[in-house]
Amino acid sequence: MASFDEDTIKNIFCEVLGIPVEEVTDTLAYNSCAQWDSLKHLQMVAMFEERFGIEIDMDDIIAMENYGKVREILHKYLT
């Protein structure tokens, strides 16, 4: 299992959503970002699991509704 790395998390958001790093803030949310649809959400989850060597519970996948929450959830798995 890898350690918590916020730059990697941000880079995954940028790569999957095709947005600049400046737009990746705690308030970036699933319901207010046109690029963040259900398919992109699952793609990000798969990338988190692969890059960090973790398996994220379904409840946590569903709870990942904004960048701040994603960071919080991944921190739980990586510390």
Side-chain angles (χ1 to χ4, degrees):
M1 176 174 62
S3 63
F4 185 82
D5 179 5
E6 187 165 354
D7 286 338
T8 299
I9 298 168
K10 278 190 176 187
N11 289 336
I12 290 172
F13 265 79
C14 294
E15 182 179 336
V16 172
L17 300 179
I19 60 175
V21 71
E22 299 80 31
E23 291 184 25
V24 182
T25 65
D26 284 353
T27 58
L28 177 67
Y30 178 84
N31 62 0
S32 65
C33 178
Q35 297 93 322
W36 191 349
D37 59 18
S38 58
L39 182 59
K40 299 281 187 183
H41 187 79
L42 293 177
Q43 186 179 356
M44 281 192 288
V45 168
M47 290 178 78
F48 295 141
E49 290 180 330
E50 181 181 329
R51 294 222 182 136
F52 292 117
I54 58 174
E55 186 173 330
I56 303 170
D57 293 333
M58 185 56 68
D59 289 342
D60 286 333
I61 292 170
I62 293 167
M64 292 177 161
E65 59 191 29
N66 61 52
Y67 178 74
K69 189 68 173 173
V70 170
R71 271 189 23 249
E72 178 185 317
I73 289 168
L74 290 177
H75 192 266
K76 173 177 76 172
Y77 285 87
L78 298 169
T79 55

